[in-house]
Amino acid sequence: MDKNKNIFILFSFFFVSLLLFQNANVYTSALSESKVYIVYMGARQHDDVDRITSTHHDMLTSVLGSREGAVGSMIYSYRHGFSGFAAMMTKSQAQTITNLPGVVKVMPNSVYKLQTTRTWDYLGLPFNSANNLLNDTNMGDDIIVAVLDSGVTPENEAYNDKGVGPIPSKWKGYCQSGELFDPKKNCNRKLIGARYFIDGYLAYKGQPGSTIGIRDYISPRDSNGHGTHTSSTAAGSPVSNVSYKGLSLGTLRGGAPRARLAIYKIGWEDGIFTDADILKAFDTAIHDGVDVISASFGADVPLYSELYPQAGAISFGSFHAVAQGITVVAAGGNAGPAAQTVSNGEPWIITVAANTPDRAFPTPITLGNGQTLMGQSLFTGKDTGVVNLVAARGSCETLSTMDTYITGNVVLCFTGSRGSDLEVLRFVIRARAVVRGVGGLGIIVSQKPFTLLDAYADSFPSAQVDYEIGTKILSYIASIRYPKVRLSPSKTQIGKPISSVIAKYSSRGPYTIAPAILKPDIAAPGTNILAAYVPENPNIRISTYKIISGTSMATPHVAGIVALLKAANPNWSPAAIKSAIVTTAWTSDPSSGQPIFNEGETISKLADAFDHGGGIINPNKARSPGLIYDMSTTDYLQCLCAMGYDSRVISGLAGQATSCNNGLSIFDVNFPSITMPNLNGTVTLTRTVTNVGPVNSVYKVMVEPPKGITVSVTPSTLNFNPSVKKISFSVKISTSYLFNTGYYFGSLTWNDGVNNVRIPISVKTMY
């Protein structure tokens, strides 16, 4: 295997496992083979954790035939946030255990994949301002953020504990020792917890209990970089003069710089997470006393299948966390811009989309005729000088090591117009490796509009341009006998005229499992984000920083802001925090005030609720939203009833027999949104708002109805006083269409002269 091919494989593996949020591959085997099954038993019936584990052993013994076999086959006992266990069983044994008393559901051990300096200023949280959510909450001090990811690089300055107070007394967790991880050296008042869970992954790999051949640290230490990046984004300490090889220079910090971090490593060498490890991390985090959970992983569509009916590990684990008052923030996925691709859409989760911040990395391309065109890149090497320019004899995909005409030249190539963003990314990685390997001096890639620059992050002269600029360069090449070009290093540009767009890769709604639940909930910066990373040389422990992209990067932005909101409003429920975030979001660009566009095949469509939920997160407004749409655990259970979940699952989640209200419509669940995928005639629904602003407040309604849809609200004025803190109102929605094939979008806003409490409306008419 030649060197270029090796480079291509390494880079492809790196970006596929690290950046893009991939399909969940179900771990299947023959009937007689043992594999991991998860036995979910719902809410705990008592607090004696040893007795709970003994009960799990008893149940497994009844199926396997011996106590010794039961103990030996068990992977995990879940006993803190909920009850259940993961164990090696055959399919027939799993079927037998399904029918035992107390068992809510038995699931195979499915797998999931992974999904700054400027962004906090962009979101209105400048570091030195005295009047914003960041400083009014002492930067999130005493809030504990749990990050479920690929681990941590503890030596990075983003985890220093300068100025951080004592570890909160509510913390019950600890730091776990392991390979190249010493709790006494690597944990402190900032990084207060670090655990790892690998048994589910080892079973998935077919080697339960054995770490032989695992190319990862068997410890909380991160070998991937993804977990280091996300955790430092959520709650990293301030580090001055940080850049990526000179680009994006500034002070790096997390959203809640004084919040504490608890790391739960569940992502391993190939970026894979398993249900068994995910559930154990949720169970442990609930026990440890965390306030926020950030989860940058998930499954792609289809979300409903024979092996994944309606709910899995993330569903159950996140429900029990939210029931304990812990807000769960999760990535919506990187399968956009196609509709119906959003994941992690449980109603109690804050599901995050990704937008671009007001920052770009222009890369000058100066042609021999004196014309300078701008590409984009993270090219940090030396100027090429004036060199020869050639056009590829084919597409970027067809470049090969046999193309010796590239040697000594910069080459222009075009990617095909078809193919997913993942495929385009692979083509770019490969094309750059080929050009570099045959002695080319640089590459200009003309491709579909795409803001991801991760594949261009090194010193090799490279630039990304769209088809229009690519065509101009091609015309120049064709017009002259000896075309020349000069590629200059990338620069950093912030603010106007750069405007935010919802990233092309960001997964879109509607949510396929429950189209009447708006997902995603909110957008946050996820493109070209600078944060802490693993060092290039693992033997040299130096602070390293890298720019990468994905809804994985957007998720910890929201988690950090949730930590600040939790510090500002400690009594708010997870639903109240979610409502505050959704109803106060920016619906125009935070910097320029221009409309938010949707990055797709072309940037020509205004973003809608299925692209960004309520909009782009607005931290300072979310602190004092005026009104909130609150929900309790009971509301979520009734929501599941309306979604058609099995009554045994619902009762298991509740920890007691729960009957469904057959008359409940999912449209009446108190979401901070209204989504109607099948309007036929007229529907009247109800919402309830709670006043969290001045006691004597008067709100008037403002409606922007979707095109062709009539929306009326009763009452149209809400009068709050010391004895009236909650008011319900009805919304009557009717359509003038016989049917329509798509959604139309509008909004309902309550205004008191200070606050605009806005919820999005999405309506599709059916026969």
Side-chain angles (χ1 to χ4, degrees):
M1 187 177 293
D2 60 56
K3 179 181 177 181
N4 296 321
K5 195 168 184 180
N6 275 324
I7 292 172
F8 167 58
I9 291 172
L10 286 172
F11 272 84
S12 298
F13 168 81
F14 173 77
F15 283 105
V16 171
S17 67
L18 199 74
L19 167 66
L20 298 175
F21 182 106
Q22 295 300 299
N23 294 342
N25 298 313
V26 180
Y27 178 48
T28 60
S29 61
L31 179 65
S32 60
E33 292 181 339
S34 289
K35 64 179 182 178
V36 175
Y37 285 89
I38 297 162
V39 180
Y40 174 67
M41 301 174 68
R44 297 189 311 170
Q45 300 301 310
H46 51 77
D47 295 330
D48 187 339
V49 293
D50 292 333
R51 181 180 161 200
I52 292 173
T53 297
S54 180
T55 301
H56 297 161
H57 286 147
D58 291 343
M59 178 175 288
L60 194 54
T61 298
S62 71
V63 174
L64 300 186
S66 76
R67 185 81 172 185
E68 182 180 4
V71 173
S73 68
M74 189 169 291
I75 303 294
Y76 292 122
S77 174
Y78 309 120
R79 56 187 193 168
H80 297 296
F82 46 90
S83 178
F85 59 89
M88 299 291 294
M89 289 181 276
T90 64
K91 184 175 181 179
S92 62
Q93 289 167 340
Q95 291 170 341
T96 299
I97 213 166
T98 298
N99 299 316
L100 295 181
V103 175
V104 175
K105 185 176 181 180
V106 177
M107 305 175 284
N109 188 32
S110 301
V111 299
Y112 304 83
K113 285 276 188 171
L114 297 170
Q115 303 280 304
T116 102
T117 51
R118 171 61 187 168
T119 50
W120 300 114
D121 291 349
Y122 160 80
L123 292 174
L125 297 177
F127 192 53
N128 295 318
S129 174
N131 298 308
N132 65 30
L133 178 64
L134 179 68
N135 289 288
D136 290 350
T137 58
N138 196 21
M139 304 185 193
D141 195 16
D142 284 346
I143 300 299
I144 303 172
V145 179
V147 179
L148 280 56
D149 213 300
S150 65
V152 65
T153 305
E155 296 85 4
N156 194 288
E157 272 298 298
Y159 305 104
N160 79 76
D161 61 359
K162 299 171 186 174
V164 178
I167 294 174
S169 58
K170 63 186 176 184
W171 174 244
K172 299 177 183 177
Y174 65 94
C175 282
Q176 182 179 3
S177 63
E179 185 179 359
L180 296 180
F181 197 94
D182 183 348
K184 293 181 180 179
K185 296 179 180 179
N186 296 139
C187 289
N188 55 26
R189 291 170 301 180
K190 158 63 70 174
L191 184 59
I192 63 174
R195 303 279 299 275
Y196 68 95
F197 303 104
I198 193 173
D199 290 345
Y201 176 73
L202 294 177
Y204 161 75
K205 297 288 284 187
Q207 52 186 75
S210 172
T211 60
I212 295 174
I214 299 298
R215 298 168 298 165
D216 202 334
Y217 302 110
I218 311 304
S219 75
R221 181 172 293 279
D222 187 5
S223 69
N224 187 303
H226 193 273
T228 301
H229 202 280
T230 56
S231 60
S232 63
T233 300
S237 296
V239 186
S240 60
N241 296 318
V242 170
S243 71
Y244 175 70
K245 299 181 180 179
L247 294 174
S248 194
L249 177 66
T251 296
L252 181 138
R253 56 188 167 89
R258 287 187 182 160
R260 316 313 167 89
L261 280 165
I263 305 299
Y264 299 86
K265 180 178 177 179
I266 52 175
W268 294 93
E269 54 188 346
D270 42 8
I272 283 181
F273 298 63
T274 70
D275 272 327
D277 295 335
I278 291 168
L279 271 176
K280 188 60 177 178
F282 271 110
D283 185 45
T284 306
I286 293 169
H287 166 268
D288 289 348
V290 307
D291 298 295
V292 185
I293 294 177
S294 181
S296 290
F297 57 88
D300 206 349
V301 291
L303 302 175
Y304 186 99
S305 70
E306 182 180 356
L307 294 176
Y308 190 78
Q310 297 174 308
I314 299 176
S315 303
F316 294 131
S318 61
F319 177 88
H320 290 291
V322 169
Q324 295 295 319
I326 302 167
T327 300
V328 178
V329 186
N334 296 345
Q340 299 182 328
T341 53
V342 68
S343 185
N344 288 332
E346 284 73 16
W348 45 83
I349 288 176
I350 299 177
T351 309
V352 185
N355 68 274
T356 64
D358 61 340
R359 178 175 60 197
F361 301 96
T363 305
I365 304 168
T366 305
L367 304 179
N369 60 9
Q371 183 181 16
T372 297
L373 303 171
M374 284 295 173
Q376 286 233 34
S377 184
L378 297 175
F379 166 35
T380 58
K382 295 181 179 180
D383 190 304
T384 61
V386 178
V387 296
N388 294 327
L389 173 65
V390 298
R393 298 170 187 171
S395 67
C396 297
E397 295 90 320
T398 61
L399 290 176
S400 79
T401 55
M402 303 299 291
D403 292 330
T404 56
Y405 69 89
I406 295 172
T407 304
N409 300 312
V410 170
V411 64
L412 167 71
C413 69
F414 286 73
T415 64
S417 60
R418 296 185 179 182
S420 67
D421 291 336
L422 173 58
E423 291 170 326
V424 171
L425 189 62
R426 286 173 175 160
F427 297 150
V428 171
I429 294 167
R430 179 185 178 278
R432 292 179 79 247
V434 168
V435 172
R436 194 177 216 164
V438 299
L441 300 182
I443 185 171
I444 301 170
V445 178
S446 182
Q447 62 183 87
K448 297 182 292 185
F450 196 41
T451 55
L452 286 178
L453 299 178
D454 307 60
Y456 300 85
D458 61 24
S459 60
F460 185 65
S462 308
Q464 172 199 108
V465 298
D466 61 20
Y467 286 149
E468 180 180 347
I469 292 178
T471 302
K472 288 180 180 179
I473 299 173
L474 186 63
S475 297
Y476 162 70
I477 293 173
S479 70
I480 191 169
R481 187 171 184 181
Y482 298 111
K484 303 287 184 179
V485 71
R486 179 176 191 158
L487 290 181
S488 301
S490 304
K491 304 178 184 301
T492 304
Q493 183 179 355
I494 61 175
K496 298 178 182 179
I498 304 164
S499 189
S500 299
V501 296
I502 301 303
K504 182 181 178 183
Y505 58 80
S506 185
S507 293
R508 269 58 168 186
Y511 181 43
T512 55
I513 289 179
I517 300 175
L518 177 63
K519 292 290 174 174
D521 295 299
I522 198 69
T527 299
N528 302 326
I529 304 301
L530 178 67
Y533 209 67
V534 294
E536 294 180 7
N537 184 341
N539 296 317
I540 302 176
R541 307 292 179 201
I542 60 173
S543 293
T544 302
Y545 306 91
K546 192 172 180 66
I547 293 174
I548 56 177
S549 307
T551 54
S552 283
M553 284 64 251
T555 298
H557 277 87
V558 176
I561 292 166
V562 168
L564 299 179
L565 293 173
K566 187 77 174 176
N569 302 283
N571 296 321
W572 279 9
S573 68
I577 290 175
K578 176 177 172 179
S579 172
I581 287 172
V582 172
T583 61
T584 60
W586 276 298
T587 55
S588 59
D589 181 79
S591 296
S592 67
Q594 297 298 307
I596 301 170
F597 281 87
N598 176 54
E599 183 182 49
E601 297 302 320
T602 58
I603 302 177
S604 60
K605 171 183 173 292
L606 289 176
D608 58 46
F610 290 147
D611 301 320
H612 59 36
I616 296 174
I617 192 166
N618 186 342
N620 292 313
K621 285 289 186 181
R623 178 186 181 178
S624 303
L627 304 175
I628 56 173
Y629 293 77
D630 206 357
M631 294 176 68
S632 66
T633 302
T634 300
D635 294 313
Y636 291 128
L637 294 172
Q638 291 302 317
C639 174
L640 295 179
C641 287
M643 290 169 64
Y645 270 57
D646 185 274
S647 60
R648 186 170 66 163
V649 173
I650 296 171
S651 296
L653 285 167
Q656 58 186 16
T658 301
S659 60
C660 290
N661 177 1
N662 294 328
L664 178 72
S665 167
I666 195 168
F667 300 133
D668 288 320
V669 179
N670 206 39
F671 300 127
S673 59
I674 297 172
T675 305
M676 308 198 73
N678 54 359
L679 180 61
N680 184 358
T682 300
V683 171
T684 300
L685 54 89
T686 301
R687 290 290 185 273
T688 300
V689 288
T690 302
N691 182 24
V692 294
V695 174
N696 296 297
S697 297
V698 178
Y699 283 85
K700 296 185 180 297
V701 74
M702 300 185 297
V703 176
E704 293 184 12
K707 183 179 179 181
I709 305 296
T710 300
V711 179
S712 60
V713 180
T714 306
S716 60
T717 301
L718 306 179
N719 292 282
F720 294 94
N721 58 53
S723 60
V724 178
K725 297 181 179 179
K726 292 186 177 184
I727 298 178
S728 297
F729 60 91
S730 63
V731 183
K732 184 178 181 181
I733 302 177
S734 57
T735 177
S736 62
Y737 300 108
L738 293 177
F739 70 92
N740 64 279
T741 57
Y743 283 85
Y744 290 106
F745 301 92
S747 63
L748 185 161
T749 304
W750 291 104
N751 177 268
D752 67 347
V754 176
N755 297 296
N756 284 306
V757 188
R758 177 187 179 276
I759 62 172
I761 301 175
S762 313
V763 178
K764 180 180 179 182
T765 303
M766 301 293 286
Y767 285 108

